[in-house]
């Protein structure tokens, strides 16, 4: 799905919409349409978008993560895989600020953010979907996705309550941006349908839309294809790949389906019992003896 030059989105472009200029996030560095930021504002391309440094996490005597380190480069899809109980979701919770590590450091765009609260992490440009559905029951598809624009909204409680002037104009602009996400995800015909009445696969797509509406620099997807049938998985894989290529979104994917991981990952990190046992390309990881043993058991 090819995107035409138009509205800026995470350094890339969304289709043109008349009269719409989306509100940039805090401290946004608006890029040109070819995805290059002004030299004076650009972060060094040598700096990883996210650095995980020697992270440990314990719950009492249980070590969920033990000295895990890896980097996430800008523009890549990094998959975190491993058997059940390997520590994948714990790692996601640390990155998003839901858990505080026992020790270690998380750096985003070269700056430490290890102890930030979840709302502060979101403000930096990190979005996430969860394993279980977390849509707002009774709200339509467009209303659920509009929630993702929250961090970009500037109208106060009073202005929002009166819904006039700047507040009204701001909502119209955000709604137009959400319409573009809806078009991107090919769900135009269900935009006004209550989200909780949709099929499981479509609800998962709405959750992806809500995360993309935040214009994330880093998007974390925690088992986005869990429970889907084959056709639904193929659709979700396509939209994830398009978000990465067409929208320029860096993605961390936590996934059990190895065929999906092998197809779309630039970089794979493997966890087992809280430890990193492999780190490399999909091909390198697939042939790693430690990974084979973790998934298949010891071999003669």
């Amino acid at each position: 799905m090819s995107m035409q030059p138009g509205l800026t989105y995470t350094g890339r472009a969304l289709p043109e919409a008349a009269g719409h200029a989306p509100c940039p996030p805090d401290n946004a560095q608006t890029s040109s349409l070819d995805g290059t930021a002004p030299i004076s504002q650009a972060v060094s391309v040598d700096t990883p978008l996210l650095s995980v440094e020697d992270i440990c996490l314990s719950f009492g005597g249980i070590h969920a993560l033990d000295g895990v380190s890896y980097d996430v480069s800008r523009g890549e899809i990094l998959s975190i895989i491993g058997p059940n109980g390997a520590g994948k979701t714990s790692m996601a919770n640390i990155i998003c600020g839901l858990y505080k590590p026992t020790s270690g450091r998380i750096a985003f765009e070269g700056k430490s953010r290890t102890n930030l609260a979840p709302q502060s992490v979101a403000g930096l440009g990190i979005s996430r979907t969860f394993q279980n559905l977390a849509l707002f029951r009774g709200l339509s598809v467009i209303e659920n996705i509009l929630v993702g624009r929250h961090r970009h909204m500037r109208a106060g409680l009073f202005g929002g309550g009166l819904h006039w002037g700047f507040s009204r104009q701001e909502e119209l602009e955000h709604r137009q941006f959400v319409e573009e996400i809806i078009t991107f995800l090919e769900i135009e015909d269900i935009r006004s349908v209550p989200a909780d009445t949709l099929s499981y696969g479509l609800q998962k797509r709405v959750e992806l839309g809500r995360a993309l509406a935040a214009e994330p620099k880093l998007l974390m997807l925690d088992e986005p294809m869990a429970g889907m049938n084959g056709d639904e998985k193929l659709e979700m894989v396509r939209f994830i790949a398009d978000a990465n290529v067409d929208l320029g979104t860096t993605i961390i994917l936590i996934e059990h389906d190895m065929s999906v991981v092998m197809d779309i990952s630039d970089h794979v990190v493997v966890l087992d019992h809280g430890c990193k046992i492999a780190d490399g390309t999909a091909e390198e990881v697939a042939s790693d003896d430690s990974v084979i043993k973790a998934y298949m058991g010891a071999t003669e």
Side-chain angles (χ1 to χ4, degrees), residues 224-243:
M225 284 152 282
M228 288 186 177
N229 62 37
D231 290 340
E232 290 171 335
K233 282 186 178 182
L234 287 175
E235 286 290 286
M236 183 60 76
V237 168
R238 177 166 67 90
F239 289 122
I240 291 171
D242 285 346

Side-chain angles (χ1 to χ4, degrees), residues 155-164 167-168 171:
L157 179 63
F158 181 74
L162 292 177
H163 196 236
W164 66 287
S167 174
R168 180 177 176 82
E171 181 176 339

Side-chain angles (χ1 to χ4, degrees), residues 249-264:
T249 308
T250 304
I251 295 173
I252 294 179
L253 174 66
I254 297 174
E255 183 53 51
H256 279 293
D257 191 324
M258 290 302 295
S259 63
V260 170
V261 170
M262 294 296 293
D263 281 345
I264 66 173

Side-chain angles (χ1 to χ4, degrees), residues 67-274:
V68 177
S69 299
Y70 59 88
D71 291 335
V72 181
S73 299
R74 299 169 192 278
E76 75 173 355
I77 297 179
L78 179 144
S79 290
I80 301 176
I81 66 172
N84 288 332
K88 304 184 295 297
T89 296
S90 292
M91 175 57 69
N93 287 339
I94 286 178
I95 293 172
C96 293
L98 294 175
Y99 292 168
K100 304 303 179 189
T102 306
S103 62
R105 178 177 181 267
I106 300 287
F108 187 70
E109 296 189 313
K111 297 181 180 179
S112 179
R113 53 123 315 252
T114 308
N115 296 312
L116 291 184
Q119 63 271 23
S120 299
V121 173
L124 294 176
I126 299 177
S127 291
R128 178 186 180 180
T129 65
F130 291 83
Q131 291 182 29
N132 299 320
L133 290 169
L135 297 174
F136 291 95
R137 297 179 62 85
L139 295 187
S140 68
V141 167
I142 191 170
E143 289 168 336
N144 266 281
I145 297 177
L146 189 60
V147 172
R149 298 296 297 166
H150 175 74
R151 79 180 186 94
H152 300 282
M153 294 179 178
R154 298 294 176 264
L157 179 63
F158 181 74
L162 292 177
H163 196 236
W164 66 287
F166 170 76
S167 174
R168 180 177 176 82
Q169 179 61 32
E170 182 184 52
E171 181 176 339
L172 290 173
E173 292 175 351
H174 288 306
R175 280 184 174 271
Q176 182 58 52
F177 191 92
V178 168
E179 287 286 359
E180 294 160 6
I181 297 294
I182 286 172
T183 300
F184 177 75
L185 294 174
E186 301 174 6
I187 51 177
E188 300 98 318
D189 57 337
I190 59 170
R191 61 162 60 82
S192 299
V193 175
D196 58 314
T197 66
L198 300 173
S199 67
Y200 180 79
L202 284 175
Q203 288 189 56
K204 280 287 194 178
R205 202 184 302 182
V206 173
E207 283 201 314
L208 175 60
R210 184 172 61 190
L212 289 173
E215 297 183 76
K217 298 175 183 176
L218 175 64
L219 174 60
M220 298 192 61
L221 304 174
D222 193 350
E223 298 190 27
M225 284 152 282
M228 288 186 177
N229 62 37
D231 290 340
E232 290 171 335
K233 282 186 178 182
L234 287 175
E235 286 290 286
M236 183 60 76
V237 168
R238 177 166 67 90
F239 289 122
I240 291 171
D242 285 346
N244 175 248
V245 174
D246 294 338
L247 305 183
T249 308
T250 304
I251 295 173
I252 294 179
L253 174 66
I254 297 174
E255 183 53 51
H256 279 293
D257 191 324
M258 290 302 295
S259 63
V260 170
V261 170
M262 294 296 293
D263 281 345
I264 66 173
S265 302
D266 301 302
H267 179 188
V268 180
V269 171
V270 188
L271 302 180
D272 187 30
H273 293 95

